[in-house]
Amino acid sequence: MSTPPGIAATPYDALPAALVDELSSAGLDPRRVLGQIADALAEDLPGDRGDVSSRATIGGTVMGEAVMAAREPGVVAGLGVAALVFAYVLGDDVEVGGRVPDGTKVAAGDVVMVVRGPIRGLLVAERTALNFASHLSGVATATAHWVAALDGTGAQVLDTRKTLPGWRALQKYAVRCGGGVNHRFSLSDMAMVKDNHVVAAGGVVPAYTAVRELYPDLPVEVEVTDLDQLRALLDAGCNRILLDNMDTATMAEAVRITAGRATLEASGGLTLDRAREVGETGVDFVSVGALTHSVRVLDLGLDLQESR
């Protein structure tokens, strides 16, 4: 892929070491994130014209400062990724400061990052940086709402594999920023026996037994839709069970029957207004696909400061 016009396209080895280390410590792959940023910039800068609006209205050497701020309350995430966008576009010509840590609760008007450098480059980077930070902050904010709703119940909110293609690591990182817990990352790090597996295997116990025989050391979770399936799995020794689309009373009975013999996860079309009643049944986890598949972005903006 050719380098988009008008940007430094800073190579991986020339990125700020502290920023690379920060992303690694957060459980992200900085090289992969850089690749996603490069792809996003390539979408914005096809051909050889570059940012025609900025080239026409702003001198190439004009410097400026821009403030990224929250326009509504929420929990921020992805600010390190946004900082990487500016580093990729501007290299050593950009200065990033005033950045609050990911996972910080912010109010409307709170400044979350300040960037200084050539204005043309700041504006080239603006939308890509905001796209990453706004979406990931939306995931973190939604997760934080679930965490607050479940507070005191003992239940924790889980994400799912219902993530945007290519964004799984980033979205699951944002869930952690919001106080949630990650479920499996892939089809291979944990066996999750769903309804179709059960049908194909001839029942919940045959399906569980088949997985346990082939992968004796792998974590296994099995989905059930009624209490008879639950009882059969408990007798078979299954220690992680997903309660699918059960009403609150049935979940509470499932918790009573299980009596601590297995970890129970509630799932299936759960909404935030129902979160507390589900948590109070005594389940251990509540899994929510909406944290990642249909979350609303957090409104963040980047505004140039007038010269004094």
Side-chain angles (χ1 to χ4, degrees):
M1 181 185 297
S2 61
T3 300
I7 68 173
T10 307
Y12 180 81
D13 292 340
L15 293 172
L19 185 54
V20 170
D21 290 343
E22 176 189 330
L23 295 175
S24 294
S25 297
L28 298 171
D29 179 348
R31 288 185 184 273
R32 180 175 175 81
V33 174
L34 182 64
Q36 292 176 275
I37 290 170
D39 287 344
L41 266 298
E43 288 179 335
D44 257 349
L45 299 168
D48 58 5
R49 287 183 177 180
D51 177 2
V52 296
S53 303
S54 296
R55 290 183 69 180
T57 59
I58 305 164
T61 60
V62 178
M63 306 292 285
E65 177 178 285
V67 170
M68 185 182 292
R71 294 175 175 170
E72 61 181 326
V75 176
V76 292
L79 296 182
V81 178
L84 195 66
V85 174
F86 289 107
Y88 177 72
V89 170
L90 286 159
D92 293 336
D93 290 336
V94 71
E95 178 185 343
V96 179
R99 178 159 61 94
V100 303
D102 283 357
T104 299
K105 292 182 179 180
V106 296
D110 283 355
V111 174
V112 300
M113 183 188 301
V114 179
V115 289
R116 301 176 184 87
I119 293 179
R120 278 188 184 179
L122 295 180
L123 297 186
V124 166
E126 173 188 11
R127 177 44 50 196
T128 296
L130 286 173
N131 283 348
F132 279 103
S134 296
H135 177 79
L136 297 177
S137 295
V139 172
T141 299
T143 304
H145 289 325
W146 278 85
V147 171
L150 293 170
D151 184 44
T153 68
Q156 294 179 288
V157 63
L158 282 172
D159 55 24
T160 70
R161 283 175 44 253
K162 297 175 183 178
T163 52
L164 297 176
W167 276 63
R168 180 166 298 165
L170 288 170
Q171 289 188 306
K172 282 181 173 283
Y173 165 67
V175 167
R176 299 195 299 274
C177 289
V181 178
N182 293 149
H183 210 304
R184 62 178 177 162
F185 274 74
S186 72
L187 292 170
S188 62
D189 57 359
M190 173 183 180
M192 192 165 182
V193 178
K194 306 295 290 291
D195 52 354
N196 286 330
H197 302 108
V198 170
V199 171
V204 290
V205 172
Y208 169 71
T209 301
V211 173
R212 182 50 68 221
E213 288 177 352
L214 189 58
Y215 302 106
D217 299 320
L218 198 67
V220 182
E221 181 173 13
V222 182
E223 176 184 288
V224 302
T225 57
D226 60 52
L227 298 179
D228 288 338
Q229 290 178 325
L230 173 73
R231 292 185 181 94
L233 279 174
L234 291 171
D235 289 343
C238 184
N239 62 8
R240 183 156 184 165
I241 299 172
L242 184 149
L243 309 177
D244 184 48
N245 283 297
M246 290 186 178
D247 59 39
T248 305
T250 305
M251 285 186 207
E253 180 63 9
V255 172
R256 187 194 68 78
I257 292 169
T258 301
R261 288 179 287 169
T263 298
L264 297 180
E265 172 187 338
S267 184
L270 301 178
T271 56
L272 186 60
D273 58 3
R274 193 183 166 208
R276 187 155 199 89
E277 73 174 60
V278 171
E280 288 177 342
T281 65
V283 295
D284 301 283
F285 296 105
V286 176
S287 58
V288 183
L291 296 181
T292 53
H293 70 57
S294 58
V295 69
R296 185 179 71 83
V297 300
L298 183 70
D299 191 3
L300 302 173
L302 186 77
D303 295 302
L304 279 174
Q305 304 303 287
E306 293 185 9
S307 301
R308 297 176 185 249

